[in-house]
């Protein structure tokens, strides 16, 4: 199984930020977590509000710990709101069921981490995460 290194995490962040600047998005915060949900790397662009770190982390943490993207968790929230409310409670608020939390998978489809992005509209956050993951040679789980 591939290990998500700090070098990989930084490459994901730099590429995602580059895409955000190319698209002229609002300032982003990007968090990369390993497969156990531990912080590997994080950057907050100038102008991004402080709450963005918690939002990006919750997107990634929920994704990596549930094994599905935060976009998929948004679908669960719509179909099973009682379950999602209980999950958020059990997770002590560390789950954000909106797009922007994307799984990182290796070539063998092993889950090796997740990226959480917050700052612009959720679809754009997710797009930047995917671009970063793929630039590092991994596969995005959305």
């Amino acid at each position: 199984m591939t290990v998500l290194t700090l070098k990989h995490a930084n490459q994901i962040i730099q590429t995602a930020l580059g895409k955000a600047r190319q698209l002229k998005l609002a300032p982003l915060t990007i968090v990369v977590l390993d497969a156990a949900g531990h912080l590997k790397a994080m950057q907050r662009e100038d102008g991004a509000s402080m709450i963005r770190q918690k939002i990006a982390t919750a997107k990634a943490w929920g994704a990596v710990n549930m094994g599905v993207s935060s976009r998929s968790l948004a679908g669960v929230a719509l179909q099973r709101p009682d379950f999602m409310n209980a999950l958020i409670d059990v997770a002590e608020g560390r789950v954000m069921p909106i797009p922007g939390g994307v799984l990182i998978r290796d070539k063998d489809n092993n889950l090796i981490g997740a990226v959480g992005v917050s700052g612009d509209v959720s679809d754009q956050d997710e797009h930047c995460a995917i671009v970063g993951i793929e630039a590092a040679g991994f596969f995005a789980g959305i």
Side-chain angles (χ1 to χ4, degrees):
M1 184 167 107
T2 306
V3 174
L4 180 65
T5 66
L6 179 59
K7 183 177 178 181
H8 292 130
N10 285 330
Q11 182 180 7
I12 290 168
I13 290 171
Q14 289 308 309
T15 304
L17 289 175
K19 178 51 83 172
R21 290 310 101 237
Q22 178 187 357
L23 297 172
K24 296 180 173 46
L25 302 183
L28 300 183
T29 298
I30 302 176
V31 172
V32 179
L33 305 180
D34 66 16
H38 300 290
L39 181 65
K40 198 70 177 178
M42 186 279 296
Q43 287 194 20
R44 182 177 60 86
E45 285 188 292
D46 296 339
S49 68
M50 293 301 294
I51 193 73
R52 295 297 177 182
Q53 180 180 347
K54 288 188 177 198
I55 295 169
T57 301
K59 288 179 181 184
W61 195 90
V64 77
N65 280 288
M66 293 302 292
V68 297
S69 70
S70 61
R71 175 178 292 279
S72 294
L73 290 174
V76 172
L78 289 173
Q79 295 170 356
R80 299 168 49 207
D82 291 338
F83 171 79
M84 185 55 62
N85 288 334
L87 175 62
I88 291 169
D89 187 46
V90 167
E92 299 173 348
R94 293 180 298 205
V95 175
M96 181 69 67
I98 58 173
V102 181
L103 300 175
I104 307 169
R105 294 194 176 274
D106 68 10
K107 64 178 176 46
D108 297 319
N109 204 36
N110 294 308
L111 178 60
I112 61 170
V115 177
V117 180
S118 179
D120 205 274
V121 297
S122 296
D123 287 340
Q124 293 287 29
D125 292 346
E126 180 182 75
H127 177 68
C128 290
I130 293 166
V131 169
I133 291 166
E134 291 176 349
F138 298 120
F139 299 92
I142 53 169

